[in-house]
Amino acid sequence: LMPPSFYFSLSPYLDHCAFHHLFNDKSSCFRHFMPNMYDTPLSYMKKAMSFGLLVFSIVVVSATIFDEQTQLSQQVNVPFAFCAMWLALMWLARVEGSQATMVGLPPVDRELYKESHPVAFHVCEYGHRGDNLDRYLMGRQFMVLALVFVINMSGAPAGEDGADRRTAMSQFFVNSGLAMILFTAMMGQLNTQVTASYCMLDYSDSYFQTVTLYVTMAIEASGLLHASYLVQMLVTRLNGSQVESNEPPRNWWQNILFWGRVALSVALLVFAFFVTLTALFEGKTTAWKGIPKVVLIVMLFALMAIVGMLEGMQIAFFAVSRITEKERKSNLWARWSCDLLFGNTGLGLPGFLIGRQLCVAACFFWDCTHNYHPC
C-alpha cells in the first residue's frame, strides 16, 4: 500500500528534482513516469484504502494516549506523551530519508552540485570522507531504534486498561500492534524514504540533515556500537577477505581507543542479552500472554535476523542504484535482483522500500512488545 503521505510529499519535488539534471535515466525522477503510474481504478482504490487505514490508525493511537493507556501518558502526562510521539516521529522521518541520500550520492561528483546545493555539498563532503559513511550508518541505526522505542512508549498500550471501551476492530488494531506499525511506517518512514530515493540532493540540502549527520557521528564515536565492527571483522575473515578501509592504518593510540570501545560495546551487548533473556524467562516483559518462553526467545532472534537482513539489503540496493548496468550484471543473482528493482518502469525500488519498511516496523514493534521490561 502506498502511504498517502508519500503522494502529499511529492509536490515540492516534482518540478525540482536535481537528479533530472545529473542523470538521463528514465526512471531517475518521478516526473518521467508519474502520469502513468497511478491513473488506474485499482490504484485509486489502494490509495483510498491506505488513506483510510492511516486515518484510523492515527485516531486509535491518539485515543490510546488520551485515555492514559500508554506508558508515558501514565507515568508523566498526556500532553508530554502526545508531543514526544510526534516529535520522535518527525525526527524518525528525517533520519529514514537521510539514509537514501547518504548511500546513493557517493558515486556523484560533488562539484556538480557545489553551487546549486551548498548544504548538501558540505554534508556529503564530511559524510563521505574516509569511513564516515560507515560511521553514519551505525549511528543512524541506533537513532532509529531509539526513536521507535520512544514512539512505542508514547503510543502503544501499556496494559489491558480501557480494552472494554474499544470496539472490536480498534481493539484488534491496538492489541496486535497493527495501528502503531501502520502509523509509524506511513507517517515516519515510507514517505521520506521513497521521496529521498528519487530526490537525493534536494532532500540533503537542509540544515536538519546536517544536525542529523553530526548526531549519528557522535553516537558512533561514543563506542556503544563498536561490537558491530568486531562482528564485521569476523564475518569477513570467515569469508576469506579483509575489511577494506578508506583511511590510513590506525596508530597505537587510535588502536587503544578503538579496541577499548570494542571491549566496552561487547560488555554492554552481553549485559543487554543477559537482562533481556532473564526478563523473558521470568515473565517480566509485556509479551502476549500464553506464548511459551522458548517461542519468545526464538522469535527474538528470528526478528533480529530478519531486520538485519532487510537493513543490509536496503543499503546495498541504494548503493547499486547509481552504478552502471554492466557492473550490475557481474553476478547472476545480483542481475536478477537488479532486474526486479530497476525494471517495471522504476516501481521496483520504491515497492521494495515500502514492503521492507512495513516488515521492519512490524519486527521493531513486536520486539518492543515481547521483550520490553516495564519499570
Side-chain angles (χ1 to χ4, degrees), residues 126 132-133 135-136 139 212-222:
Y126 176 68
N132 281 354
L133 181 59
R135 298 185 179 102
Y136 158 79
T212 300
L213 173 63
Y214 282 113
V215 171
T216 58
M217 298 296 287
I219 293 173
E220 190 277 340
S222 68

Side-chain angles (χ1 to χ4, degrees), residues 95-104 106 126-128 130-145 209 212-221 225 228-229 232 311-319:
V95 173
E96 289 288 2
S98 68
Q99 179 179 251
T101 64
M102 293 298 295
V103 177
Y126 176 68
H128 298 155
D131 294 331
N132 281 354
L133 181 59
D134 293 337
R135 298 185 179 102
Y136 158 79
L137 291 173
M138 189 171 296
R140 172 218 164 260
Q141 193 60 52
F142 183 88
M143 282 191 67
V144 169
L145 286 170
Q209 178 86 339
T212 300
L213 173 63
Y214 282 113
V215 171
T216 58
M217 298 296 287
I219 293 173
E220 190 277 340
L225 309 172
S228 301
Y229 290 127
Q232 180 190 31
E311 291 289 348
M313 289 172 63
Q314 174 177 277
I315 295 172
F317 291 162
F318 280 142

Side-chain angles (χ1 to χ4, degrees), residues 6-299:
F6 159 68
Y7 301 102
F8 300 153
S9 63
L10 283 180
S11 55
Y13 298 97
L14 291 181
D15 297 322
H16 191 55
C17 185
F19 268 90
H20 173 67
H21 303 286
L22 296 181
F23 299 94
N24 293 321
D25 184 2
K26 185 177 181 181
S27 64
S28 64
C29 189
F30 274 123
R31 73 165 78 205
H32 292 288
F33 60 88
M34 188 71 179
N36 298 322
M37 282 173 59
Y38 308 115
D39 56 356
T40 64
L42 181 60
S43 68
Y44 286 111
M45 291 176 60
K46 289 181 179 180
K47 285 187 283 188
M49 179 174 61
S50 178
F51 184 77
L53 287 173
L54 176 60
V55 171
F56 182 74
S57 298
I58 293 175
V59 172
V60 168
V61 172
S62 300
T64 304
I65 295 176
F66 285 109
D67 285 345
E68 298 186 7
Q69 299 173 26
T70 68
Q71 184 189 359
L72 282 185
S73 64
Q74 292 174 354
Q75 296 182 354
V76 187
N77 54 54
V78 170
F80 180 84
F82 188 78
C83 293
M85 182 186 69
W86 281 103
L87 289 174
L89 191 74
M90 287 188 288
W91 200 352
L92 177 64
R94 191 72 209 185
V95 173
E96 289 288 2
S98 68
Q99 179 179 251
T101 64
M102 293 298 295
V103 177
L105 284 174
V108 182
D109 184 4
R110 288 192 289 272
E111 294 297 325
L112 293 173
Y113 54 87
K114 182 177 181 180
E115 299 295 333
S116 61
H117 298 78
V119 178
F121 173 81
H122 290 294
V123 167
C124 293
E125 186 179 38
Y126 176 68
H128 298 155
R129 184 187 308 163
D131 294 331
N132 281 354
L133 181 59
D134 293 337
R135 298 185 179 102
Y136 158 79
L137 291 173
M138 189 171 296
R140 172 218 164 260
Q141 193 60 52
F142 183 88
M143 282 191 67
V144 169
L145 286 170
L147 291 169
V148 167
F149 268 88
V150 171
I151 296 170
N152 186 69
M153 291 170 61
S154 303
E160 297 298 327
D161 295 339
D164 54 341
R165 296 193 299 270
R166 306 184 193 126
T167 64
M169 180 176 292
S170 62
Q171 187 169 344
F172 168 76
F173 268 71
V174 170
N175 293 342
S176 66
L178 188 58
M180 287 298 298
I181 292 169
L182 293 175
F183 170 67
T184 304
M186 286 196 275
M187 293 295 297
Q189 295 174 313
L190 289 175
N191 57 339
T192 52
Q193 279 188 0
V194 178
T195 302
S197 68
Y198 283 93
C199 303
M200 298 181 185
L201 284 178
D202 291 328
Y203 193 90
S204 297
D205 202 42
S206 165
Y207 289 108
F208 201 91
Q209 178 86 339
T210 307
V211 173
T212 300
L213 173 63
Y214 282 113
V215 171
T216 58
M217 298 296 287
I219 293 173
E220 190 277 340
S222 68
L224 295 174
L225 309 172
H226 270 52
S228 301
Y229 290 127
L230 181 61
V231 175
Q232 180 190 31
M233 294 176 184
L234 294 175
V235 172
T236 52
R237 185 65 60 88
L238 292 174
N239 194 38
S241 58
Q242 292 183 346
V243 178
E244 297 181 0
S245 176
N246 297 319
E247 298 179 350
R250 293 185 294 268
N251 57 35
W252 66 271
W253 175 244
Q254 289 173 331
N255 272 320
I256 291 176
L257 288 177
F258 177 79
W259 289 108
R261 287 181 292 179
V262 169
L264 171 65
S265 180
V266 170
L268 290 173
L269 178 62
V270 172
F271 178 73
F273 267 116
F274 174 78
V275 171
T276 301
L277 293 177
T278 300
L280 281 173
F281 278 114
E282 294 180 356
K284 296 180 179 180
T285 68
T286 55
W288 295 326
K289 297 179 180 179
I291 301 180
K293 298 173 182 178
V294 176
V295 176
L296 291 175
I297 295 174
V298 172
M299 288 178 61

